[in-house]
Amino acid sequence: MNAAEKATEAFAYIQKHIPEVYEKYLEFTKSMSEKGGLSPRDKELILVGCSVMSQCEMCIAIHVEGAAAAGATREEILQAALMAVAMGGSPKLMYLKYVFEALEDLFE
């Protein structure tokens, strides 16, 4: 099971066991993503960087896929991930492994 599949499984578990939290989370994230100013592509690229900063394998997989689906190139996705490395140093550099894995699934 890849990281994106694990995330889907985690969300299903949360939805089943604490549906009120899941619904509020969806409302919150939807309201944030609907705000204007940034394109969906740019928002996903920011989320790639945030995912690396958070060291969340499942988030990386989801947002690399989301960025690619929104039209970001492999190079743009990698650059977004590298911005997290610039801010977070060596621990974030180690999480580029998951970015490369997600990119390989999508671009190769």
Side-chain angles (χ1 to χ4, degrees):
M1 182 180 304
N2 68 30
E5 292 167 336
K6 289 178 185 176
T8 299
E9 187 177 83
F11 280 129
Y13 186 85
I14 293 165
Q15 184 179 23
K16 177 181 177 183
H17 294 283
I18 46 173
E20 66 283 353
V21 171
Y22 183 75
E23 290 303 318
K24 293 294 182 187
Y25 173 76
L26 289 181
E27 286 176 30
F28 172 71
T29 57
K30 182 179 179 186
S31 72
M32 295 305 293
S33 66
E34 289 176 343
K35 302 284 184 208
L38 294 173
S39 69
R41 178 189 146 280
D42 290 342
K43 288 176 186 178
E44 284 294 336
L45 288 170
I46 290 168
L47 290 170
V48 168
C50 290
S51 297
V52 173
M53 283 298 292
S54 299
Q55 296 178 288
C56 175
E57 297 169 40
M58 290 182 273
C59 302
I60 291 168
I62 290 167
H63 294 298
V64 166
E65 187 174 313
T73 66
R74 177 186 170 88
E75 291 75 23
E76 290 170 329
I77 294 167
L78 184 55
Q79 185 174 15
L82 286 169
M83 296 308 295
V85 172
M87 294 299 296
S90 297
K92 307 318 175 202
L93 183 66
M94 299 301 109
Y95 274 76
L96 286 182
K97 169 189 184 294
Y98 303 109
V99 174
F100 285 115
E101 287 174 357
L103 288 170
E104 286 174 11
D105 290 342
L106 295 169
F107 288 97
E108 294 181 18

